[in-house]
């Protein structure tokens, strides 16, 4: 059976990971976990992009051998993913033989088919972006400087004139436009898709895909004086990592940041077309984080370190905040004040406090055990909560993570309202049958909530499940189970510490 195959960009190893990298990887993990919870086998690929001038120069700057430098930084990414509870299934490095072999194989194939041909490149190159620019794109500014046209970069460009292999990108303008038209979900979200459409409609130029002067790269097969352009090499990772498997390719979704959307939405599909390989089903570009209102940059020295934040708030609250604060696809700002506010209001108060109240009352009034299933009626609250499952799944399937959390929190707030309205502590004195029924209903609803938050907050979801007397992570509870009152691994429900202690 084909697995649901989701990928992150492979990150450059010139610097340590920061919040931006964590964001994409967490999103991919949330999606993969959501699929697994619905019994869809999912496969998450991440890794590191290790060739090219930028990496070579970064290694030189700290006086290390390039590969040692790559080993070190690649390990930092991998360690951070473990720390952040990313359940990746594979971790690819472009310096691995399994990848290099496939890149050469594909390059050789394209030379043979004529889609890759030799010519001479004259133009400009940005090392920081590892991107070629034409004479017009690199036009001098009013001070006569040739700067990277990318507004986020603006570093000085290098002039390049050398023999080069080219990829016939221009040939794929028509096929790409046809593919976009025939597959409306291929490019997402819609506003980014239209940018790509306009770009491709404007015409495509053949792309230089080898460098003579760059040594740190994969040699062109049969022409070892050239190395393969780092982006051409890097994009292939999604496919090279599937070598020897039959249940992965094509990918179901590539998740990338908006600044590298053209590479993924134009060049990569054209490469696959040229190679006669099936195209991924979706390429999703998310937006960018600023930090406290400012762009993260070396000069500002404001790269936000995920370890620092998780030390204070824990891994799950960090994951939650990233997925909740900015709708997937939009831009947003990461501020400590916003994190603290959401933590206290939504996690400590709305959810944590609710769980604590319900669990404590179940311990106090029912001795930690639920009665066997009282008859559910249509107007029972747990039944209406269970009915929201479809909505949440639809939002998750559409990568609308904050939208899914909105629905979950609507439910959580509804449950808080219900506790206040039904006042089980009063019922415990006047009508024990009704008290049992209300608590039964609340516990069941919370068991569902725990299952819904699992992709976002795997640890807290497990903790919450334990408090609610179930172990669902390995054996997910479905909305149907709730409607049928299925009791899984029923355990005692005992007073427990708060899930999210308040931050003062
Ligand atoms: N190596 C290339 C990708 C090759 S994929 C075949 C690359 N690497 S990178 O290290 O620069 O990582 C870029 C990615 O990191 C972005 O596409 C995005 O996923 C993530 N982010 C980096 N900074 C970010 C923000 N400030 N905000 C959100 N995501 C950001 O490009």
């Amino acid at each position: 059976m084909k697995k649901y195959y989701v990928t992150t960009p492979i990150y450059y190893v010139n610097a340590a990971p920061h919040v931006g990298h964590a964001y994409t990887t967490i999103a991919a993990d949330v999606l993969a976990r959501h699929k697994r919870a619905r019994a869809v086998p999912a496969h998450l690929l991440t890794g590191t992009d290790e060739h090219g001038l930028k990496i070579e120069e970064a290694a030189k700057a700290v006086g290390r051998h390039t590969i040692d430098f790559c080993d070190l930084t690649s390990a930092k990414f991998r360690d951070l993913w473990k720390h952040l509870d990313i359940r990746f299934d594979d971790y690819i490095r472009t310096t691995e033989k399994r990848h290099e072999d496939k890149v050469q194989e594909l390059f050789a194939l394209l030379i043979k088919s004529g889609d890759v041909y030799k010519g001479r490149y004259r133009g400009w190159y940005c090392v920081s972006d590892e991107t070629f620019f034409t004479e017009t794109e690199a036009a001098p500014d009013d001070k006569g400087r040739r700067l990277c046209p990318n507004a986020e970069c603006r570093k000085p460009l290098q002039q390049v004139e050398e023999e080069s292999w080219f990829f016939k990108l221009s040939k794929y303008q028509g096929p790409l436009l046809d593919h976009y038209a025939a597959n409306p979900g291929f490019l997402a979200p819609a506003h980014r898709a239209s940018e790509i459409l306009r770009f491709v409609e404007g015409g495509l130029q053949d792309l230089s895909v080898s460098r003579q002067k760059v040594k740190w790269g994969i040699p062109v097969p049969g022409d070892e004086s050239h190395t393969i352009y780092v982006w051409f090499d890097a994009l292939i990772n999604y496919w090279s990592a599937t070598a020897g498997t039959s249940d992965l390719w094509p990918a179901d979704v590539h998740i990338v940041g908006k600044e590298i959307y053209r590479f993924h939405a134009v060049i990569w599909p054209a490469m696959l077309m040229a190679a006669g390989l099936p195209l991924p089903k979706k390429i999703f570009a998310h937006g960018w984080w600023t930090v406290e209102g400012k762009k993260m940059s070396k000069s500002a020295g404001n790269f936000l370190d995920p370890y620092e934040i998780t030390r204070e708030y824990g891994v799950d609250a960090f994951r939650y905040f990233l997925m909740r604060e900015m709708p997937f696809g939009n831009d947003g700002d990461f501020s400590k004040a916003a994190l603290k506010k959401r933590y206290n209001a939504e996690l400590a108060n709305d959810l944590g406090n609710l769980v604590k109240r319900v669990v404590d009352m179940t311990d106090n009034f029912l001795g930690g055990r639920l009665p066997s299933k009282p008859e559910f009626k249509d107007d029972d609250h747990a039944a209406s909560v269970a009915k929201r499952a479809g909505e949440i799944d639809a939002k998750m399937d559409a990568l609308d993570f904050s939208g899914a959390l909105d629905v979950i929190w609507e439910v959580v707030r509804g449950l808080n309202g219900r506790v206040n309205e039904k006042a089980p502590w009063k019922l415990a004195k006047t009508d024990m049958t009704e008290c049992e029924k209300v608590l039964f209903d609340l516990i069941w609803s919370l068991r569902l909530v725990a299952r819904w938050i699992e992709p976002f907050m795997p640890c807290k979801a497990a903790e919450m499940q334990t408090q609610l007397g179930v172990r669902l992570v390995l054996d997910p509870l479905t909305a149907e189970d709730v409607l049928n009152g299925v009791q899984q691994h029923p355990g005692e429900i005992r007073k427990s510490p708060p899930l999210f202690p308040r931050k003062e």
Side-chain angles (χ1 to χ4, degrees):
M1 180 187 175
K2 163 122 176 44
K3 288 185 182 147
Y4 186 87
Y5 178 30
V6 45
T7 68
T8 74
I10 47 171
Y11 304 107
Y12 286 130
V13 289
N14 60 308
H18 58 64
V19 160
H21 306 116
Y23 179 58
T24 319
T25 313
I26 289 171
D29 184 56
V30 166
L31 182 62
R33 284 175 181 274
H34 157 71
K35 293 289 174 189
R36 294 189 195 110
R38 295 183 66 202
V40 177
H43 183 93
L44 170 57
L45 173 74
T46 187
T48 42
D49 189 354
E50 306 187 3
H51 289 129
L53 214 46
K54 171 152 83 168
I55 311 296
E56 201 179 342
E57 288 178 355
K60 209 178 274 163
V62 293
R64 284 192 180 271
H65 285 300
T66 318
I67 190 64
D68 294 346
F69 178 74
C70 291
D71 287 349
L72 238 124
T73 322
S74 184
K76 283 188 193 160
F77 277 91
R78 185 194 270 265
D79 288 348
L80 178 63
W81 305 151
K82 297 229 163 109
H83 173 67
L84 294 177
D85 251 328
I86 308 296
R87 220 178 118 188
F88 54 88
D89 299 276
D90 193 3
Y91 191 87
I92 191 158
R93 300 180 54 187
T94 53
T95 49
E96 285 174 89
K97 185 168 176 348
R98 62 165 170 159
H99 173 73
E100 296 186 341
D101 285 352
K102 284 285 157 188
V103 171
Q104 288 194 321
E105 182 187 313
L106 208 120
F107 207 93
L109 183 90
L110 298 191
I111 292 180
K112 204 164 155 217
S113 72
D115 270 348
V116 166
Y117 63 92
K118 205 177 229 179
R120 199 166 174 78
Y121 181 76
R122 253 193 101 236
W124 298 85
Y125 194 76
C126 173
V127 178
S128 180
D129 278 359
E130 298 283 15
T131 302
F132 291 100
F133 293 104
T134 60
E135 190 62 35
T136 342
E137 288 169 326
D141 66 5
D142 45 13
K143 295 196 183 97
R145 297 170 308 181
R146 307 260 190 177
L147 302 180
C148 176
N150 170 9
E152 307 281 325
C153 178
R154 303 302 284 161
K155 298 216 173 69
L157 296 173
Q158 289 185 351
Q159 190 161 25
V160 176
E161 182 167 5
E162 59 188 27
E163 183 188 90
S164 175
W165 290 89
F166 283 84
F167 171 54
K168 268 192 199 159
L169 186 59
S170 58
K171 175 176 158 190
Y172 291 95
Q173 180 191 21
L176 282 169
L177 291 172
D178 290 346
H179 189 81
Y180 301 151
N183 300 275
F186 180 65
L187 300 180
H191 64 281
R192 303 228 189 270
S194 47
E195 279 169 31
I196 294 292
L197 223 64
R198 274 200 304 276
F199 174 73
V200 177
E201 280 164 356
L204 296 174
Q205 294 189 357
D206 289 356
L207 178 71
S208 165
V209 289
S210 80
R211 297 292 310 270
Q212 270 190 313
K213 296 200 178 103
V214 178
K215 296 295 160 221
W216 185 244
I218 303 174
V220 168
D223 188 7
E224 311 251 311
S225 66
H226 287 249
T227 57
I228 295 171
Y229 172 41
V230 57
W231 265 103
F232 196 88
D233 155 357
L235 287 162
I236 295 173
N237 90 88
Y238 304 124
W239 174 71
S240 68
T242 68
T245 66
S246 58
D247 55 357
L248 292 177
W249 196 258
D252 289 271
V253 56
H254 295 315
I255 301 181
V256 301
K258 64 177 182 180
E259 85 292 358
I260 55 173
Y261 204 34
R262 274 192 202 172
F263 289 101
H264 285 83
V266 182
I267 299 174
W268 177 228
M271 285 165 65
L272 288 165
M273 285 175 178
L277 287 165
L279 267 50
K281 299 206 187 102
K282 186 185 279 304
I283 310 173
F284 194 106
H286 66 65
W288 265 49
W289 288 98
T290 51
V291 171
E292 310 289 347
K294 290 200 194 78
K295 185 187 144 214
M296 271 189 281
S297 75
K298 235 188 205 160
S299 48
N302 61 343
F303 284 109
L304 210 48
D305 175 8
Y307 287 106
E308 184 195 318
I309 304 154
T310 54
R311 239 189 319 273
E312 192 174 349
Y313 283 89
V315 165
D316 283 17
F318 175 61
R319 292 174 58 114
Y320 170 81
F321 180 77
L322 288 176
M323 293 298 105
R324 181 71 199 256
E325 179 75 357
M326 106 182 176
F328 208 56
N330 296 6
D331 295 325
D333 184 52
F334 194 110
S335 79
K336 294 231 168 117
L339 169 61
K340 183 167 176 184
K341 196 164 161 214
R342 281 206 189 269
Y343 179 92
N344 277 334
E346 292 160 16
L347 296 178
N349 207 36
D350 292 344
L351 180 63
N353 206 23
L354 169 68
V355 173
K356 180 139 187 63
R357 286 169 91 191
V358 173
V359 164
D360 284 3
M361 286 190 288
T362 309
D363 190 355
N364 286 339
F365 307 143
L366 308 183
R369 289 197 167 277
L370 289 184
S372 55
K373 184 192 169 199
E375 279 306 300
F376 267 122
K377 290 194 233 70
D378 270 356
D379 61 348
D380 276 330
H381 202 72
S384 72
V385 167
K387 287 190 188 119
R388 309 289 309 256
E391 238 172 292
I392 295 166
D393 285 343
K395 298 221 185 262
M396 294 294 281
D397 288 340
L399 282 75
D400 178 6
F401 305 117
S402 62
L405 287 168
D406 281 339
V407 179
I408 301 171
W409 254 254
E410 243 174 74
V411 168
V412 166
R413 292 191 181 118
L415 293 173
N416 270 310
R418 196 162 165 83
V419 172
N420 295 338
E421 177 204 330
K422 295 280 173 185
W425 58 93
K426 285 189 193 150
L427 290 173
K429 293 187 194 130
T430 55
D431 183 349
M432 204 52 202
T433 316
E434 187 58 18
C435 177
E436 279 180 357
K437 197 168 164 298
V438 169
L439 285 175
F440 186 95
D441 212 52
L442 286 165
I443 292 272
W444 268 111
S445 302
L446 284 175
R447 286 174 176 179
L448 258 189
V449 170
R451 178 242 171 274
W452 290 333
I453 64 168
E454 189 274 336
F456 300 94
M457 298 187 278
C459 263
K460 290 296 169 183
E463 222 175 298
M464 182 170 158
Q465 286 159 344
T466 309
Q467 296 194 4
L468 295 167
V470 278
R471 286 178 285 123
L472 308 178
V473 176
L474 299 175
D475 197 0
L477 181 74
T478 63
E480 291 75 50
D481 291 337
V482 169
L483 291 174
N484 297 327
V486 174
Q487 291 261 29
Q488 284 171 321
H489 321 294
E492 295 204 333
I493 299 168
R494 293 297 182 192
K495 276 190 204 98
S496 317
L499 284 170
F500 300 98
R502 263 191 89 78
K503 301 275 175 215
E504 293 316 327

